[in-house]
Structure formats: structure tokens, C-alpha cells
């Protein structure tokens, strides 16, 4: 019997269950190897899931809108049409395993992040306006430098396949003209307009009603509970920001954000304090080769995600700001790739933009430190010449894993961070 189970994949290291956003294929549809069959919502993003097998989607076990544990069967794929009924009988008899048996062979893999799927009125789960291409086509397009948006796919639902990319490349990367005689040439097919995902509706609070947590919110719950067992300590520091504020006003028009400036300042300081960029493991201290700054972002529909500015110490401030803007937009559209939210080595949480003066942040699992940043406000201070003056100051508080980082380490880091921001902020633009 050639019937294969499609299992709920683990789309992130913290994912324990996934929600079916939509089925791209319907029962009885032909599926090709590497073709997207279902869109799954993980604890961080929506991801396309592709099949490793060729055949027919015989039976769907977990319908759209339902959740299933990682590793549980969500559908059957039959290699032949004759086996479709057999797969249905297997499902009806309870033959589908709720959890995988000993090392099951994988049936599906994740592809690129996708926007939330919208079911059409006829019940189809195909997502209008989304660029659909096979993994081989995407790889080939990258190698041949072909813009996929210029192509009209020849596969199901307009899916772009490798042959479409090859055809365009062979024609000098121009859409193939219609094979007509002298005159009319085929009208170029305009690429689909980019679709801006509508924000998910937020359920209105009704007194006495219990509103279930979203997938994102459940992920936050699991992560926060996991930190309870970690012994942490907190250290506060006051930083004068007059120089940083002046720099920000000078380069704000060039697209630079304060978040990028703060991330850059922290990353540059971490070069001198690798222990603050490290994390604990059972084998010892893990010193990370890169300085990747995670920055906490609240999701519009609940939950929290931490997009990562990778190699923030080595990237110029203008590129870093552009990257941050893109990360935030894609985070709120649930389009981030896993490495864009799970590769952080140090986290920033900035509630100062909301006017918060001071707060303590909870240490994320797998990291050694998180820095909480308060608002910058004018304060009356004593100047070195014995007079009084007004300075812009902000309160920062670092939370660190006391298993590997001690108070003196955190204090030295904060001193150097303050020195950089107060005396040499211009270096952040170099």
C-alpha cells in the first residue's frame, strides 16, 4: 500500500502545535513533489508546507481552522487514484496516528513564509494575489536572476514551475511572444499587485466572556513559563542622551530609526563584552560568533515577536534601519522566515516609545541578557562645574542569566554603553 501520512511540521524550535490556516489542495487533487499542499500557522508566522511525494491528496484529517500537535498526522497522500478510497477507509477506521510512530519518514517540508490565506466563496483555499512557485523554480530563478513576478505560471492555479523559468531565461529574460505570424504580439501579463494583508480582527472584550489565546499568545506563555527556572538578576543605569538625540535629528530624514541607533549602540558595545552576548547550555557557556540583536515587537492581533537585526555591529546604520523597517512590516504580516526571529543573541525591549520611564524585562529562553529601555526625559542634574543644568536622560535595566553573567559584568557593559551614547554617538554612523 502506497499511502503516506502528512505530519504537522515543527516550524520553529518553540512550536508544539500548529493551526491549519488553509488547504491549498482539496481531497482528490493531484499533488506534485515539492508542491504546497497546506498553509500552517506556527507560533511566529504562517508557512507553506510542501509534500515530498507525488500522488493525490486522499483525505484531510485536520480541517482549516483546527490545530494539531507537532508530529501528528493531518492528511493522507495516496500514490494512485485507486488508493484514495483505501486512504479514506483507513482514516475512518482510526488508522491515522495521532502521534508519529518510531521515526516516521517525513512527508512534508516548509517553504517560504506566506500571508494569511483567504477562503473564497466557493470554498477554495487558494490565495489570490500570492506568488506561487515550486521550490525548484525559486532556486532556478535565483541562479538565473529571473524575476518571478514577470512570469505567468503554467501549473495549477497559475503556479510557476521550473519550465516557466527556463523558458523565460532562454528568451533573454523576456516574456515569450505568442507564436503567431506577422502581427499581433501577445499582451504582456502584468504581475499581480502586491496584496497588503488586512490586520486580523481583534475580538472585542465582553464582560464574563473567555477569549481563547491566539497561537502567538500561547507561544509567549510557554516561553515566559520556561524562564521561571532561570536565576536572573537586574541592574539599572541612567544614560544621558543629548548627543544621541542630536544625532537622530540630523539623520532621521535619511530613514534612520531610533530603534536601529539603539541596536547599533548595543551591538558595538557587545564587541567588548562577549559574555553578555553568550548563553548558557548544559555543556557550558556558548559564545556566539555573531552579534544578532532581537527587538521585541507587539503584534496587532496579540502576542509578541522578536525580529532579529543580524550582525548589527557590522552593518551600517542606514542599511540597519532599512532592514528593521522591512522586518517590522513582515513581522506584522506574519511573513518572517524562522532565522529572522529565532537567531537573536541579545534582546532589546523598548517601552520608552510609549512614555514608560522604567521597567524590568523577562529574559528570553536561550539568551543571556535582555535590555529594557525607558523614555528619554529632561532632568535637572548637577554639572561638573558645580552648577545645575537640564539634560535628556533615560533609564535602562538589564536582566541577565546569573549562571554565566555576574553583576560586575553587567555593570561594565552598561558603563561602556553609556560612554558610547554620551561621548561618541557619531561613531554609530561610521
Amino acid at each position: 500500500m502506497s499511502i503516506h501520512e502528512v505530519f504537522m511540521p515543527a516550524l520553529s524550535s518553540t512550536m508544539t502545535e500548529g493551526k491549519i490556516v488553509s488547504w491549498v489542495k482539496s481531497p482528490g487533487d493531484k499533488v506534485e513533489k515539492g508542491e504546497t499542499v497546506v498553509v500552517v500557522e506556527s507560533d511566529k508566522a504562517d508557512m507553506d508546507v510542501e509534500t515530498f511525494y507525488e500522488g493525490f491528496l486522499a483525505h484531510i484529517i485536520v480541517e482549516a481552522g483546527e490545530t494539531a500537535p507537532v508530529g501528528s498526522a493531518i492528511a493522507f497522500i495516496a500514490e494512485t487514484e485507486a488508493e484514495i478510497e483505501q486512504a479514506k477507509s483507513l482514516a475512518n477506521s482510526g488508522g491515522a496516528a495521532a502521534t508519529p510512530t518510531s521515526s516516521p519518514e517525513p512527508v512534508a517540508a516548509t517553504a517560504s513564509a506566506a500571508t494569511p490565506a483567504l477562503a473564497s466563496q466557493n470554498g477554495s483555499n487558494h490565495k489570490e494575489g500570492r506568488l506561487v512557485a515550486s521550490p525548484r523554480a525559486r532556486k532556478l530563478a535565483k541562479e538565473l536572476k529571473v524575476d518571478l513576478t514577470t512570469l505567468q505560471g503554467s501549473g495549477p492555479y497559475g503556479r510557476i514551475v521550473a519550465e516557466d523559468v527556463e523558458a523565460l531565461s532562454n528568451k533573454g529574460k523576456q516574456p515569450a511572444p505568442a507564436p503567431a505570424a506577422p502581427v499581433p504580439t501577445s499582451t504582456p501579463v502584468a504581475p499581480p499587485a502586491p496584496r497588503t494583508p488586512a490586520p486580523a480582527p481583534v475580538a472585542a472584550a465582553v464582560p464574563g466572556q473567555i477569549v481563547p489565546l491566539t497561537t502567538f499568545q500561547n507561544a509567549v506563555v510557554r516561553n515566559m513559563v520556561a524562564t521561571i527556572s532561570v536565576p536572573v538578576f537586574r541592574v539599572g543605569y541612567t544614560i544621558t542622551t543629548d548627543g544621541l538625540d542630536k544625532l537622530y535629528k540630523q539623520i532621521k530624514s535619511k530613514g534612520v530609526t531610533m530603534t536601529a541607533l539603539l541596536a547599533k549602540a548595543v551591538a558595538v558595545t557587545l564587541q567588548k563584552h562577549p559574555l553578555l552576548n553568550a548563553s548558557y547550555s548544559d555543556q557550558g557557556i556558548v559564545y556566539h560568533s555573531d552579534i544578532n540583536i532581537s527587538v521585541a515587537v507587539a503584534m496587532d492581533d496579540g502576542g509578541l515577536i522578536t525580529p532579529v537585526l543580524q550582525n548589527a555591529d557590522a552593518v551600517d546604520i542606514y542599511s540597519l534601519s532599512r532592514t528593521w523597517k522591512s522586518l517590522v512590516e513582515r513581522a506584522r504580516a506574519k511573513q518572517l522566515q524562522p532565522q529572522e526571529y529565532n537567531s537573536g543573541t541579545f534582546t532589546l525591549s523598548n517601552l520608552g516609545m510609549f512614555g514608560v520611564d522604567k521597567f524590568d524585562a523577562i529574559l528570553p529562553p536561550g539568551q543571556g541578557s535582555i535590555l529594557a529601555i525607558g523614555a528619554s526625559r529632561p532632568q535637572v542634574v548637577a554639572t561638573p562645574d558645580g552648577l545645575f543644568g537640564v539634560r535628556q536622560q533615560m533609564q535602562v535595566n538589564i536582566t541577565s542569566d546569573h549562571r554565566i553573567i555576574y553583576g560586575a559584568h553587567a555593570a561594565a557593559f552598561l558603563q561602556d554603553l553609556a560612554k558610547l551614547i554620551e561621548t561618541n554617538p557619531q561613531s554609530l554612523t561610521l
Side-chain angles (χ1 to χ4, degrees), residues 290-316:
D290 298 324
I291 297 176
N292 299 335
I293 305 299
S294 302
V295 185
V297 173
M299 300 296 288
D300 293 334
D301 58 346
L304 184 73
I305 194 168
T306 52
V308 179
L309 288 165
Q310 298 181 351
N311 299 300
D313 59 318
V315 179
D316 68 87

Side-chain angles (χ1 to χ4, degrees), residues 40-72:
V40 172
E41 179 187 56
S42 73
D43 53 0
K44 301 294 183 184
D46 290 356
M47 303 289 286
D48 287 357
V49 177
E50 301 168 349
T51 176
F52 287 154
Y53 291 99
E54 181 177 343
F56 298 85
L57 183 60
H59 181 73
I60 293 175
I61 301 172
V62 183
E63 297 289 346
E66 298 178 357
T67 59
V70 167
S72 63

Side-chain angles (χ1 to χ4, degrees), residues 383-405:
T383 61
D385 53 9
L387 301 176
F388 289 101
V390 177
R391 300 286 187 269
Q392 289 289 132
Q393 293 186 329
M394 69 179 182
Q395 300 287 327
V396 298
N397 288 274
I398 192 169
T399 301
S400 296
D401 187 341
H402 213 333
R403 293 173 295 184
I404 60 172
I405 300 169

Side-chain angles (χ1 to χ4, degrees), residues 16 45 72 74 90 111 127 138 158 166 235 278 316 328 346 354 398 411 414 416 419 422 429:
T16 59
S72 63
I74 58 176
L90 182 64
K127 294 185 280 184
R138 292 180 186 273
E166 291 170 343
V235 177
D316 68 87
V328 172
F346 187 104
F354 299 106
I398 192 169
L414 292 177
D416 284 342
K419 183 179 179 181
E422 292 175 354
T429 62

Side-chain angles (χ1 to χ4, degrees), residues 187-275:
T187 305
V189 178
R195 181 169 64 84
T196 303
V202 179
V206 178
Q209 182 184 18
I210 297 177
V211 179
L213 296 176
T214 65
T215 306
F216 276 26
Q217 289 169 328
N218 274 315
V220 173
V221 169
R222 289 192 298 270
N223 286 342
M224 295 305 98
V225 170
T227 64
I228 293 177
S229 61
V230 178
V232 299
F233 70 97
R234 299 170 178 86
V235 177
Y237 208 94
T238 301
I239 300 178
T240 300
T241 63
D242 291 288
L244 185 68
D245 294 336
K246 182 179 179 181
L247 173 64
Y248 176 59
K249 290 178 181 177
Q250 293 173 347
I251 60 180
K252 180 181 179 181
S253 61
K254 298 179 181 179
V256 174
T257 67
M258 180 57 77
T259 296
L261 277 172
L262 291 170
K264 179 76 172 179
V266 167
V268 170
T269 307
L270 285 172
Q271 291 177 331
K272 300 179 182 179
H273 301 271
L275 184 60

Side-chain angles (χ1 to χ4, degrees), residues 33-35 50 131-149 151 153-155 158-166 169:
K33 184 178 179 180
E35 188 173 13
E50 301 168 349
L131 179 66
V132 182
S134 70
R136 184 162 170 257
R138 292 180 186 273
K139 181 179 179 182
L140 196 59
K142 186 175 182 181
E143 293 174 352
L144 300 177
K145 294 181 171 56
V146 171
D147 184 359
L148 289 176
T149 62
L151 290 175
S154 60
R159 180 183 181 81
I160 298 171
V161 294
E163 289 75 14
D164 299 323
V165 179
E166 291 170 343
S169 179

